Amino acid sequence: MFKRKEKVIRHLPFFGKENLTSYLMSAPYMLIFITFNVLPILISIVLSFTYFNMLQSPSFIGIENYLNLLTNDDLFITGLKNTIIMAICIGPGGYILSFLMAWLINEMQGALRTIMIFLFYAPSISGNVYFIWTYLFSSDSYGLVNGVMLDAGFINEPIRWFQNPDYMMILVVCVALWTSFGTGFLTFAAGLKGVSRTYYEAAMVDGVTNRWQELYYITLPIMRPQLLFGAIMSISGGFGVGGICNALCGFPSTQYAVHTIMNHLEDYGGSRYEMGYACAIAVILTLLIVGMNYIIRKLIERVGE
Amino acid sequence: MTLSIKDLKSKLGMNKGAHMSNMRLRNRSTGGYIATLIFLLLFASIMVLPMVYVVANAFKPLSELWIFPPRFFVYNPTGKNFSDLVELMNTSTVPFSRYIFNTVFIAICGTVGNVLLSSCCAYVFARRRMVGGKAYFSIVRYALMFVGGSVTGIPNFLVMSSLGWIDTYWSYIIPAMGTSMGLYLMKQFMEQMVPVEVIEAARIDGCGEMKILFRIVMPMVKSGWVTLIIFSFQGLWNTGGTNYIYEESLKTFNYAMSQITAAGITRAGVSAAASLLMMIVPITVFLIAQSNVLETMSTSGMKD
């Protein structure tokens, strides 16, 4: 319905003075970005081909780290499986939930809208909120959920929620979804305000009758820039899950039931000082994210065409 | 409630002078609106439950924090947790106001810098031409997808120490100005909200590039940078201990709070009070910023 327009200013010459202006305007950001983001990442990638214990200087060992990871490290494979299960639930699940809620909230106006967005964003606003869940699902009888269930007579002894592999995965996924109304959600909420009413009014004249058609043919195509941004954020969030597992189930978790790639990485990078190995894990994790993002991108670009 | 009355009025045509964005579209039914509202409120009450719990906990005496059966709400509210917290704050070697100043300073400088630099660069990527621009931008995208946790710790430390920025404010502020998220966010909003025709018209009228950016583009993408302010401020406000700061007087509010509350069960009350206090400022910033996300009229006055 909406043809993508020529993106840049048409009569602007490509080279010469205009090009210099472009460089000058982007220089301050790019300088900081390359120094503090790109450079450390490049160094990490180089380190992934070395043995580096943070005491001696790194020694080059080729792809040995990668070979060990994929063939010798059972725990990494466990982590890989858990991460993929979690990423598939948390990434797309959180993404769709965030958009759906932002879309519904967009019907509200003024202060009511602000308050709604605040209520949904509430879990993301304070740095560390997981402790509430360890409190609610505490494994002794003082935990709220166990306390209520004991009182009501459903169970005879407290359930060890975060130590029993039957419950761990589902609890971690639920808490992660609960925290997923973050970056993507706010971006969608702000972006939806940029979809001018005139489009909807024009579409009604053109015969768009129900909300779902409106969503597919107008809202989603116009929201494409924000959707692409949100996709990266939720995919990275989904694959990078790890902190929640530690906060809820401790490290290492019982039978490694919620051991993720990120936990594995922090174990080698933070506790064992095998930096080369940790870097190799990070590179593999990033490749997973890049691959997944490529697929999602292709899907989003097809919407509403 | 005033809102629904306003809606009713606009439906009945009673306030003809109302702003267009205050009216609902014709294909929306009042019943559907109310159903949506109820659904959202139900969902929101689950989302906000833990925050309510934080507030309740902050006012619970120790005896209520460890009671069986556990209580969700507070029965005998007390201010003792807060007075204990203040007492503990007064015992610290560096005055607590210094920690607060550090955090406020870092958060404001970092946020303003992030918005300005990201917007400048995003404008180039979204609406101007540049040799190598596409390659540049894909670097930003890939950097956003690099999830490395602690592996960038050592390289970052090497960069910081070779710049001589260990134990300086720079080590907090400057990296926060060049986040890949900031640039990507601003670029996507500019692509959605800024029509090329408007910029072309401004250029023909002889408007300089910086003037175009700050007078024309930025007002159009206000909801974008307001959102970026929320993310950036919140992140910086929660800055804890870093690898680059060893001088006690340069450490942050969050770091000092976590030191105070990290003493186990006996400090449970103090810790609950501290987490409530830490939340208040980001919540205020959030509410002010969010209420400024308004419908942009970027296409008004254009003929396609």
Side-chain angles (χ1 to χ4, degrees), chain B residues 22-85:
Chain B
N22 278 337
M23 294 192 297
R24 286 213 314 278
L25 286 158
R26 271 175 293 143
N27 66 349
R28 306 291 199 272
S29 68
T30 313
Y33 179 78
I34 292 168
T36 310
L37 189 61
I38 292 171
F39 171 75
L40 284 176
L41 280 173
L42 281 177
F43 211 104
S45 64
I46 304 167
M47 299 299 292
V48 84
L49 214 57
M51 194 177 251
V52 176
Y53 197 59
V54 175
V55 177
N57 263 3
F59 293 100
K60 279 180 189 168
L62 261 189
S63 57
E64 260 186 71
L65 280 170
W66 303 104
I67 202 165
F68 182 84
R71 289 173 183 167
F72 189 83
F73 292 108
V74 52
Y75 283 41
N76 304 302
T78 169
K80 193 174 174 298
N81 295 334
F82 291 94
S83 55
D84 283 355
L85 181 63

Side-chain angles (χ1 to χ4, degrees), chain A residues 147-165:
Chain A
V148 169
M149 282 172 83
L150 280 174
D151 254 21
F154 284 125
I155 46 174
N156 294 321
E157 54 183 42
I159 295 175
R160 296 170 65 78
W161 295 103
F162 294 116
Q163 282 78 35
N164 188 335

